Amino acid sequence: MLNYFIAIAAGLVCGVLSGFGIGGGTLLMVWMSALMSMEQRMAQGVNLLYFLPTAAAALILHAKNRVLVWRAIIPAAIAGCATAALGALLAANVDTHLLRKLFGGFLVLVGLSEIFRKGKKPKQT
């Protein structure tokens, strides 16, 4: 029963982060694979299903607040869909241990880039 409440808490925290566009699904992947010992491919499947409603909710609210730049979204979405299909095919054929190492390396690179990146001041609208 405690695991059920922990899963709800993780979903809530990751949902808030997803709404901010921070990558709550990535943190959900870390929680499922590292802390819950879920197999990497299963965690990826759960993350993909988790992403659909959270992304839809965030998209609706961001569209309502007029903070979407469609000329950037459309080409990014097309490229993202194409490469997501290729990535899914690749992930299905890669050894699970290698997949975990690649994902961990990706997280380290993203973390380092956030730490050492020189911040640009956001545009005032």
Side-chain angles (χ1 to χ4, degrees), residues 16 19 44 46 71 74 112 115:
V16 169
Q44 287 172 324
V46 170
R71 68 180 181 274
I74 301 299
L112 289 173
I115 290 170

Side-chain angles (χ1 to χ4, degrees), residues 67-74:
V67 293
L68 299 177
V69 180
W70 290 103
R71 68 180 181 274
I73 292 170
I74 301 299

Side-chain angles (χ1 to χ4, degrees), residues 2-116:
L2 181 61
N3 282 342
Y4 184 72
F5 289 116
I6 292 172
I8 289 172
L12 289 171
V13 169
C14 292
V16 169
L17 294 174
S18 293
F20 289 143
I22 294 174
T26 302
L27 295 176
L28 188 66
M29 283 281 300
V30 171
W31 175 72
M32 288 185 293
S33 61
L35 301 176
M36 299 301 293
S37 301
M38 187 180 286
E39 195 246 286
Q40 181 84 21
R41 286 189 185 103
M42 188 178 292
Q44 287 172 324
V46 170
N47 183 44
L48 290 172
L49 286 174
Y50 165 86
F51 175 75
L52 293 173
T54 58
L59 179 63
I60 289 166
L61 291 171
H62 286 316
K64 181 181 174 189
N65 291 325
R66 300 177 192 260
V67 293
L68 299 177
V69 180
W70 290 103
R71 68 180 181 274
I73 292 170
I74 301 299
I78 292 169
C81 287
T83 55
L86 292 173
L89 288 172
L90 179 64
N93 295 306
V94 172
D95 178 58
T96 303
H97 295 293
L98 177 61
L99 196 58
R100 287 185 88 137
K101 288 178 183 179
L102 290 172
F103 183 66
F106 169 74
L107 291 178
V108 168
L109 289 175
V110 169
L112 289 173
S113 72
E114 288 297 315
I115 290 170
F116 295 111

